[in-house]
Structure formats: C-alpha cells, structure tokens
Amino acid sequence: RQMATRRLVKMQRLCKSLAAKLPSVSRAIVGVQASSFHSSASLSLKLQPEANVEGKRIKYFQIYRWDPDQSSRPTMATYPINLAECGPMVLDALLKIKNEQDSTLTFRRSCREGICGSCAMNIDGSNTLACLARIDTATSKTKIYPLPHMYVVKDLVPDMTNFYAQYKTIEPWLQKEGNDGKIKDDQGNFKENYMSKKDRDVLDGMYECILCACCSTSCPSYWWNSEKYLGPAVLMQAYRWICDSRDQSTKKRLEQLDDTYKLYRCHTIMNCTKTCPKSLNPGLAIARLKKKLVTG
C-alpha cells in the first residue's frame, strides 16, 4: 500500500509540472474549442420545434432516400423546415425541401387535392396521402417512407406495376352482351345504359376509390401473398362492378374471384379500413363479396 501511495504522489507531481510547462497559446486554443462546443450545443437546444427563435418554428423531416444508380444502401436524410414559412400539409414540406434544399428528392404528386392518389406514402407509420396529411406541429420530427412491402423505384416512389396488373385482371369496365357492349332501342338506335337512383346509391363508398394502394400495402395478407392475393383495393373495385346494375357479367366475375388466394387470403384484419385516406371501407366490401359468392 505504501508503494502504491508513493507512486500516486509522484504521478500527481508530474501532472502538475507538465501543466505548468504547457504554453499559454495551447491553453487558449483548448479554451476556444471548449467554448465553441458549449455554444453550439446550447444553440441546437434552442432550435427545437415550436420554440420561437427569431420567428422560426423548426421541424425535422426524416425521409427515406435510395438511388438505384448509386451503390450505397438506403439511408434516412434529415431536413429542417421552418413551419412559419411552409404550408400545413406534408406535401407542402416535401415540395419546399425539393425546391429549396435538395432537388434530387424524388416523389410522386399531381392534384394536391386527394383525388389522383399519386402522393401515397407512409408518414409516421401510417399509409396516407401527403396532400391530405397535416403536419403534426406537436412533435419534433416526422418520418416519411415509401409505401411498405413494395419494390422502390427511387426514394419515395414505389413500383406499382404488380398493383395495376392485378387491377387489370378484374376487367374494370362495363360488360354488355353483344353489340360491343352497347344497347339498342326498338328502332335499332343506340341508347344510354340506364341506371336508377336506387341502383346508383349502391355504388356509394366504392366508386370513390382512387387506387392509391394505401389499403393494400397496409394489409399483412397482401405483404405475404402479393403475387396471388388481389388485395383490398382491387377486391373492392371488383365488387363495385359486380354491384353495378348495368353490367351483365356478374356470374363470370364471381367465378374469376372464387379462388383460395385471390379472395380468401383476406383474414378481416381491417388495416385497410383504418388507413384509407378517403374514409372508405374495403373490409366491408370484401365481406359482402364473400357473402355474394355463397348466396349468389
């Protein structure tokens, strides 16, 4: 113990002597670095969201980035946005980032009114439309990803090839027997496909679908069987044409859907109804479609 104590005393004396010999310039540099570190740390604390710093309200958007032309793996890029100079929707923030900070950021958008379905993406864990999703000012950051469980073309752009191919298989158009789908009156003249108001009301809640794929990409059954299971969006549109009183191919449509994978992979998880940005109910349409197959 005495030996250890003596060594400790010697080390303390050596440290004091070295500190005394340290040039004043070096101590000044160390002091400047320390002071700059503390000032930058305090500045970052001031720039938190909802904190007014010279009229700024900063919010951070963490966005999924991946470029197929680059060899790097996907990353999350963070962009600060002054909410005082930005519109209220997430799409406004994305456009501001693309216009002012990073022109390489890639995403789809068109109507800005929730009609085209182009800007579908995963925002803070939920599939929705960027043009209809309001920026959450109560949180410090927002995470944005492309639609889940789909191949990515670039950044926030998913590959919709399989989705549209499945939509094509249900033949989403009116089908009439003979005359190329046209109707003739007693005089042999073509006339309109009449539909009563009551029959028209049956289509409410289905025809409004904009095929944004938010519901299908939120469905675990579609994640696991996207090659065979048609998914909520396509199945709801299939039922929409089956319910159309003007269509004359109901039997053929039902026979095409009576398949173990096309329809019956739906396990009524109801993620589709929860996430639909148009407040539709694909789960209910699928349930009625199953009942239609049983009852005819």
Side-chain angles (χ1 to χ4, degrees), residues 164-274:
Y164 290 137
Q166 290 176 325
Y167 180 60
K168 183 179 180 180
T169 62
I170 66 171
E171 301 179 356
W173 56 81
L174 281 178
Q175 299 182 16
K176 309 290 288 188
E177 296 178 357
N179 297 320
D180 297 328
K182 299 179 180 179
I183 303 175
K184 290 184 177 181
D185 57 18
D186 297 336
Q187 287 76 33
N189 299 321
F190 291 113
K191 64 177 184 179
E192 65 178 346
N193 289 332
Y194 174 76
M195 181 183 235
S196 66
K197 291 184 177 180
K198 183 178 180 180
D199 291 339
R200 167 61 184 78
D201 292 341
V202 175
L203 304 182
D204 287 345
M206 294 185 290
Y207 81 91
E208 301 95 332
C209 176
I210 58 176
L211 298 175
C212 64
C214 283
C215 61
S216 293
T217 53
S218 70
C219 174
S221 295
Y222 191 75
W223 300 344
W224 304 325
N225 307 282
S226 59
E227 297 83 5
K228 299 179 181 180
Y229 174 51
L230 294 181
V234 175
L235 288 175
M236 184 169 69
Q237 287 306 295
Y239 185 61
R240 173 252 181 272
W241 291 105
I242 289 172
C243 291
D244 198 313
S245 61
R246 301 166 295 177
D247 190 85
Q248 296 178 347
S249 297
T250 301
K251 182 178 179 180
K252 184 187 76 171
R253 294 181 187 277
L254 289 174
E255 289 176 352
Q256 289 177 345
L257 293 174
D258 192 6
D259 181 84
T260 303
Y261 278 93
K262 287 183 179 180
L263 173 62
Y264 292 105
R265 286 298 94 184
C266 172
H267 299 301
T268 323
I269 300 173
M270 301 303 287
N271 278 4
C272 54
T273 300
K274 181 180 179 181

